[in-house]
Amino acid sequence: MTTTSQKELFRFLEDRFACAQACTECARACATRASLVDPDGTENQELVQRKGIMCAEVCDATCRVLSEQNQVDEEIIRVQVEWCRQVCLESAQAFDTHSGAGQTAESCRACARACTEFLATLD
């Protein structure tokens, strides 16, 4: 029989892995979307490109933090994951305004949801 603390640990590890995986997928989608934007395009295209690059970098850094087993303290993890969640939501809004970026926006939202779920395990 599994104790409550074991169940909590399993949930924590599962949510941590799911968050790291969502961050990886989001980073890939954002980097790809940013590379497809015309560098000499409109102001909106420039914004989409900047948001894509920033989101890719934040998601990549968050995945690295989540992958470091016990070498990072919980407060650092919490701040990093919250930052990632916020950047993903902002990026999704920017991608919503860009034609053809719907899948990237959804990848950002999925990452934000995974971050929210993981943060709930830290409370």
Side-chain angles (χ1 to χ4, degrees), residues 17-94:
F17 176 77
C19 188
Q21 187 174 14
C23 287
T24 297
E25 291 169 13
C26 185
R28 187 177 306 118
C30 288
T32 300
R33 176 56 48 197
S35 71
L36 296 174
V37 175
D38 180 8
D40 298 322
T42 65
E43 188 176 317
N44 184 28
Q45 288 174 321
E46 182 183 328
L47 174 69
V48 166
Q49 186 175 43
R50 280 184 295 146
K51 290 287 186 179
I53 291 168
M54 182 175 175
C55 192
E57 290 176 355
V58 171
C59 284
D60 184 55
T62 303
C63 183
R64 282 194 311 270
V65 166
L66 292 171
S67 298
E68 296 173 5
Q69 289 305 316
N70 294 325
Q71 299 170 0
V72 180
D73 105 348
E74 186 177 308
E75 188 57 29
I76 291 171
I77 292 172
R78 184 183 309 277
V79 168
Q80 182 68 41
V81 172
E82 178 56 40
W83 183 36
C84 184
R85 188 187 74 76
Q86 189 61 41
V87 168
C88 285
L89 292 174
E90 290 173 10
S91 297
Q93 288 177 338

Side-chain angles (χ1 to χ4, degrees), residues 14-15 91:
E14 287 173 349
D15 287 349
S91 297

